[in-house]
Amino acid sequence: MTDVEKLYEMLKQTQESRGFFFNNDKDWVFELLESLVTNRERYGYMCCPCRLSSGDREKDRDIICPCEYRVPDIEEFGSCYCKLYVSTDWNEGKIEHVYVPERRPDEKFSF
């Protein structure tokens, strides 16, 4: 089993029990998980692959996956910013798939 497959199984088990589900597009999910594994190797932590990391764990704490923006994004839009985690309604097409705006404050982007 690859590192990505192991991560998939571990996150699927731990996150689904909390009500967070992977996007039904498994190719997309595995692409994001591969990026998380790369970021873990590069930085020592799994920062969101859809955001620019500073390389400083403390500065990036808010974007370590699952990021602190996941819950409000899913509550409001049905998916997180990168669409790795989604609601059941989003996966079932019961809610519109819309662009999720960046919630990370501008000051977090200054490195």
PDB file of all heavy atoms in Angstrom, residues 40-54:
ATOM      1  N   ARG A  40       4.134  17.027   3.609  1.00  0.00           N
ATOM      2  CA  ARG A  40       4.622  16.421   4.856  1.00  0.00           C
ATOM      3  C   ARG A  40       6.116  16.111   4.739  1.00  0.00           C
ATOM      4  O   ARG A  40       6.879  16.358   5.674  1.00  0.00           O
ATOM      5  CB  ARG A  40       3.830  15.165   5.179  1.00  0.00           C
ATOM      6  CG  ARG A  40       4.256  14.506   6.477  1.00  0.00           C
ATOM      7  CD  ARG A  40       3.397  13.329   6.847  1.00  0.00           C
ATOM      8  NE  ARG A  40       3.466  12.302   5.816  1.00  0.00           N
ATOM      9  CZ  ARG A  40       2.594  11.320   5.669  1.00  0.00           C
ATOM     10  NH1 ARG A  40       1.553  11.234   6.467  1.00  0.00           N
ATOM     11  NH2 ARG A  40       2.744  10.428   4.728  1.00  0.00           N
ATOM     12  N   GLU A  41       6.529  15.596   3.592  1.00  0.00           N
ATOM     13  CA  GLU A  41       7.952  15.304   3.363  1.00  0.00           C
ATOM     14  C   GLU A  41       8.776  16.590   3.288  1.00  0.00           C
ATOM     15  O   GLU A  41       9.887  16.655   3.793  1.00  0.00           O
ATOM     16  CB  GLU A  41       8.125  14.493   2.072  1.00  0.00           C
ATOM     17  CG  GLU A  41       7.559  13.092   2.176  1.00  0.00           C
ATOM     18  CD  GLU A  41       7.423  12.387   0.836  1.00  0.00           C
ATOM     19  OE1 GLU A  41       7.696  13.004  -0.229  1.00  0.00           O
ATOM     20  OE2 GLU A  41       7.014  11.202   0.845  1.00  0.00           O
ATOM     21  N   ARG A  42       8.228  17.609   2.658  1.00  0.00           N
ATOM     22  CA  ARG A  42       8.932  18.871   2.446  1.00  0.00           C
ATOM     23  C   ARG A  42       9.024  19.704   3.719  1.00  0.00           C
ATOM     24  O   ARG A  42      10.076  20.248   4.057  1.00  0.00           O
ATOM     25  CB  ARG A  42       8.203  19.664   1.367  1.00  0.00           C
ATOM     26  CG  ARG A  42       8.848  20.985   1.012  1.00  0.00           C
ATOM     27  CD  ARG A  42       8.071  21.708  -0.080  1.00  0.00           C
ATOM     28  NE  ARG A  42       8.159  20.938  -1.315  1.00  0.00           N
ATOM     29  CZ  ARG A  42       7.218  20.907  -2.255  1.00  0.00           C
ATOM     30  NH1 ARG A  42       6.108  21.593  -2.100  1.00  0.00           N
ATOM     31  NH2 ARG A  42       7.370  20.195  -3.338  1.00  0.00           N
ATOM     32  N   TYR A  43       7.908  19.825   4.448  1.00  0.00           N
ATOM     33  CA  TYR A  43       7.850  20.733   5.592  1.00  0.00           C
ATOM     34  C   TYR A  43       7.781  20.046   6.954  1.00  0.00           C
ATOM     35  O   TYR A  43       7.954  20.685   7.975  1.00  0.00           O
ATOM     36  CB  TYR A  43       6.614  21.648   5.473  1.00  0.00           C
ATOM     37  CG  TYR A  43       6.565  22.442   4.203  1.00  0.00           C
ATOM     38  CD1 TYR A  43       5.546  22.230   3.274  1.00  0.00           C
ATOM     39  CD2 TYR A  43       7.513  23.420   3.921  1.00  0.00           C
ATOM     40  CE1 TYR A  43       5.480  22.972   2.101  1.00  0.00           C
ATOM     41  CE2 TYR A  43       7.459  24.154   2.745  1.00  0.00           C
ATOM     42  CZ  TYR A  43       6.441  23.923   1.842  1.00  0.00           C
ATOM     43  OH  TYR A  43       6.380  24.654   0.687  1.00  0.00           O
ATOM     44  N   GLY A  44       7.428  18.763   6.942  1.00  0.00           N
ATOM     45  CA  GLY A  44       7.273  18.052   8.208  1.00  0.00           C
ATOM     46  C   GLY A  44       5.848  18.086   8.727  1.00  0.00           C
ATOM     47  O   GLY A  44       5.563  17.589   9.811  1.00  0.00           O
ATOM     48  N   TYR A  45       4.937  18.674   7.967  1.00  0.00           N
ATOM     49  CA  TYR A  45       3.522  18.725   8.319  1.00  0.00           C
ATOM     50  C   TYR A  45       2.720  18.823   7.025  1.00  0.00           C
ATOM     51  O   TYR A  45       3.235  19.224   5.987  1.00  0.00           O
ATOM     52  CB  TYR A  45       3.209  19.889   9.261  1.00  0.00           C
ATOM     53  CG  TYR A  45       3.674  21.237   8.773  1.00  0.00           C
ATOM     54  CD1 TYR A  45       2.823  22.071   8.066  1.00  0.00           C
ATOM     55  CD2 TYR A  45       4.971  21.700   9.017  1.00  0.00           C
ATOM     56  CE1 TYR A  45       3.228  23.316   7.611  1.00  0.00           C
ATOM     57  CE2 TYR A  45       5.396  22.932   8.572  1.00  0.00           C
ATOM     58  CZ  TYR A  45       4.527  23.729   7.872  1.00  0.00           C
ATOM     59  OH  TYR A  45       4.940  24.968   7.420  1.00  0.00           O
ATOM     60  N   MET A  46       1.454  18.446   7.116  1.00  0.00           N
ATOM     61  CA  MET A  46       0.603  18.396   5.928  1.00  0.00           C
ATOM     62  C   MET A  46      -0.190  19.689   5.780  1.00  0.00           C
ATOM     63  O   MET A  46      -1.344  19.785   6.172  1.00  0.00           O
ATOM     64  CB  MET A  46      -0.353  17.202   5.994  1.00  0.00           C
ATOM     65  CG  MET A  46       0.341  15.877   5.938  1.00  0.00           C
ATOM     66  SD  MET A  46      -0.762  14.473   5.705  1.00  0.00           S
ATOM     67  CE  MET A  46      -2.012  14.721   6.956  1.00  0.00           C
ATOM     68  N   CYS A  47       0.446  20.700   5.193  1.00  0.00           N
ATOM     69  CA  CYS A  47      -0.293  21.941   4.953  1.00  0.00           C
ATOM     70  C   CYS A  47      -1.152  21.781   3.709  1.00  0.00           C
ATOM     71  O   CYS A  47      -0.854  20.990   2.814  1.00  0.00           O
ATOM     72  CB  CYS A  47       0.643  23.134   4.844  1.00  0.00           C
ATOM     73  SG  CYS A  47       1.855  23.028   3.559  1.00  0.00           S
ATOM     74  N   CYS A  48      -2.216  22.537   3.681  1.00  0.00           N
ATOM     75  CA  CYS A  48      -3.188  22.489   2.587  1.00  0.00           C
ATOM     76  C   CYS A  48      -2.469  22.635   1.250  1.00  0.00           C
ATOM     77  O   CYS A  48      -1.699  23.571   1.056  1.00  0.00           O
ATOM     78  CB  CYS A  48      -4.206  23.606   2.771  1.00  0.00           C
ATOM     79  SG  CYS A  48      -5.424  23.710   1.436  1.00  0.00           S
ATOM     80  N   PRO A  49      -2.715  21.710   0.325  1.00  0.00           N
ATOM     81  CA  PRO A  49      -2.038  21.779  -0.972  1.00  0.00           C
ATOM     82  C   PRO A  49      -2.556  22.906  -1.863  1.00  0.00           C
ATOM     83  O   PRO A  49      -1.953  23.209  -2.883  1.00  0.00           O
ATOM     84  CB  PRO A  49      -2.326  20.416  -1.597  1.00  0.00           C
ATOM     85  CG  PRO A  49      -3.574  19.948  -0.948  1.00  0.00           C
ATOM     86  CD  PRO A  49      -3.555  20.516   0.439  1.00  0.00           C
ATOM     87  N   CYS A  50      -3.642  23.540  -1.473  1.00  0.00           N
ATOM     88  CA  CYS A  50      -4.229  24.617  -2.275  1.00  0.00           C
ATOM     89  C   CYS A  50      -3.813  25.992  -1.777  1.00  0.00           C
ATOM     90  O   CYS A  50      -4.327  27.006  -2.258  1.00  0.00           O
ATOM     91  CB  CYS A  50      -5.747  24.490  -2.274  1.00  0.00           C
ATOM     92  SG  CYS A  50      -6.289  22.945  -3.016  1.00  0.00           S
ATOM     93  N   ARG A  51      -2.915  26.011  -0.821  1.00  0.00           N
ATOM     94  CA  ARG A  51      -2.459  27.287  -0.267  1.00  0.00           C
ATOM     95  C   ARG A  51      -0.941  27.295  -0.202  1.00  0.00           C
ATOM     96  O   ARG A  51      -0.314  26.254  -0.126  1.00  0.00           O
ATOM     97  CB  ARG A  51      -3.047  27.481   1.136  1.00  0.00           C
ATOM     98  CG  ARG A  51      -4.553  27.650   1.121  1.00  0.00           C
ATOM     99  CD  ARG A  51      -5.054  27.861   2.531  1.00  0.00           C
ATOM    100  NE  ARG A  51      -6.420  28.321   2.538  1.00  0.00           N
ATOM    101  CZ  ARG A  51      -7.451  27.553   2.868  1.00  0.00           C
ATOM    102  NH1 ARG A  51      -7.285  26.290   3.195  1.00  0.00           N
ATOM    103  NH2 ARG A  51      -8.668  28.054   2.878  1.00  0.00           N
ATOM    104  N   LEU A  52      -0.374  28.484  -0.198  1.00  0.00           N
ATOM    105  CA  LEU A  52       1.071  28.644  -0.151  1.00  0.00           C
ATOM    106  C   LEU A  52       1.555  28.562   1.293  1.00  0.00           C
ATOM    107  O   LEU A  52       1.125  29.341   2.146  1.00  0.00           O
ATOM    108  CB  LEU A  52       1.465  29.990  -0.772  1.00  0.00           C
ATOM    109  CG  LEU A  52       2.946  30.266  -0.908  1.00  0.00           C
ATOM    110  CD1 LEU A  52       3.614  29.214  -1.802  1.00  0.00           C
ATOM    111  CD2 LEU A  52       3.150  31.655  -1.491  1.00  0.00           C
ATOM    112  N   SER A  53       2.456  27.629   1.533  1.00  0.00           N
ATOM    113  CA  SER A  53       3.008  27.458   2.870  1.00  0.00           C
ATOM    114  C   SER A  53       4.230  28.349   3.059  1.00  0.00           C
ATOM    115  O   SER A  53       4.997  28.576   2.124  1.00  0.00           O
ATOM    116  CB  SER A  53       3.428  25.996   3.062  1.00  0.00           C
ATOM    117  OG  SER A  53       4.130  25.843   4.263  1.00  0.00           O
ATOM    118  N   SER A  54       4.406  28.799   4.292  1.00  0.00           N
ATOM    119  CA  SER A  54       5.596  29.585   4.615  1.00  0.00           C
ATOM    120  C   SER A  54       6.773  28.679   4.957  1.00  0.00           C
ATOM    121  O   SER A  54       7.916  29.109   4.939  1.00  0.00           O
ATOM    122  CB  SER A  54       5.315  30.507   5.809  1.00  0.00           C
ATOM    123  OG  SER A  54       5.182  29.734   6.998  1.00  0.00           O
TER     124      SER A  54
END
